Amino acid sequence: MKPRIHQVLFDFDGVLAHYRHEVRLAHLAAHAGCAPERVREVLFLSGLETEYDSGTLDTAAYLGRLGDGLGAAVDEASWLASRMAGSTAIDGVLARIDALHADLALGVLTNNGVLMTQAIPRIVAPMAARIEGRVLTSGGLQMRKPAPTTFARALEVLGWDAGSTLFVDDKFTNVQGAREAGLHAETVTDSRSFGKALKRYVFGPQTGW
């Protein structure tokens, strides 16, 4: 008998959208008037992005250090523009999501900083209304996937039951963490694999579907 699912929790990068790292770096470099390699050094090689994604830095401190390192102020709008430039929604996956029953609750859990709560609904605009108020980040939770406690905390925030929730991620290690926390979980890398995963479950309440 197929498990019945009432909620679906999505990873973001690699599941709902393609992320092009070099495009994001080039966009920030153009904003700051520096080389992309300088952006890489300040944002990633220094550990700044990891600190922000882990929730040890708030947004103001993160943007302040980024701007200081690049020699040009980086505000929220500039950061969001660069992240959106490097991200492209996966239309085939969004189409499958759109076909799911309108009463099915949807959310996002991503290992990113809290500014992504603003970026994600814009990048996947067709499903923005369905994830409103349910975009969770590792920076906001101060916990990261694949720790099972991260999934437990996410479900607590969302008010969801693990046994009726499906989690999808492109990294199997995160899928394992979700399963350890009691969620149903599948590895999804494109529209085709997502479609296959959906066939393993029944969605929605017992009646009215």
Side-chain angles (χ1 to χ4, degrees):
M1 188 173 181
K2 295 180 180 180
R4 186 170 291 274
I5 299 299
H6 297 273
Q7 303 91 208
V8 184
L9 187 61
F10 296 92
D11 175 40
F12 182 65
D13 292 313
V15 172
L16 298 179
H18 295 299
Y19 174 50
R20 296 170 296 167
H21 192 63
E22 298 306 319
V23 174
R24 179 188 176 199
L25 294 182
H27 194 280
L28 269 176
H31 166 78
C34 64
E37 186 55 35
R38 179 56 183 166
V39 180
R40 188 191 309 277
E41 291 170 359
V42 174
L43 202 53
F44 297 101
L45 299 184
S46 71
L48 177 60
E49 188 85 340
T50 299
E51 289 183 62
Y52 186 54
D53 291 351
S54 300
T56 59
L57 277 181
D58 64 22
T59 297
Y62 165 70
L63 293 178
R65 282 176 52 183
L66 177 58
D68 289 345
L70 298 182
V74 179
D75 58 13
E76 289 190 10
S78 301
W79 188 95
L80 289 167
S82 69
R83 193 53 164 84
M84 292 169 65
S87 304
T88 306
I90 303 175
D91 292 337
V93 171
L94 297 194
R96 291 189 185 277
I97 293 171
D98 187 57
L100 295 172
H101 194 282
D103 289 340
L104 191 70
L106 308 179
V108 175
L109 175 61
T110 177
N111 280 347
N112 278 295
V114 295
L115 274 173
M116 287 300 286
T117 61
Q118 298 181 48
I120 288 172
R122 301 183 196 183
I123 295 166
V124 292
M127 64 179 292
R130 299 191 66 176
I131 59 174
E132 184 176 359
R134 294 195 292 265
V135 177
L136 305 181
T137 66
S138 57
L141 296 175
Q142 297 185 328
M143 306 172 77
R144 295 177 65 94
K145 299 177 293 182
T149 51
T150 301
F151 295 96
R153 176 57 180 155
L155 293 180
E156 181 182 3
V157 171
L158 294 168
W160 292 359
D161 178 71
S164 61
T165 299
L166 171 64
F167 173 70
V168 295
D169 198 297
D170 62 321
K171 295 181 175 63
F172 182 61
T173 183
N174 293 332
V175 168
Q176 287 179 306
R179 288 175 178 169
E180 288 180 33
L183 291 77
H184 300 280
E186 300 286 344
T187 305
V188 168
T189 56
D190 53 24
S191 175
R192 184 170 178 270
S193 59
F194 183 44
K196 282 187 173 182
L198 293 177
K199 292 178 181 178
R200 300 185 184 110
Y201 303 90
V202 176
F203 295 90
Q206 295 289 345
T207 60
W209 285 59

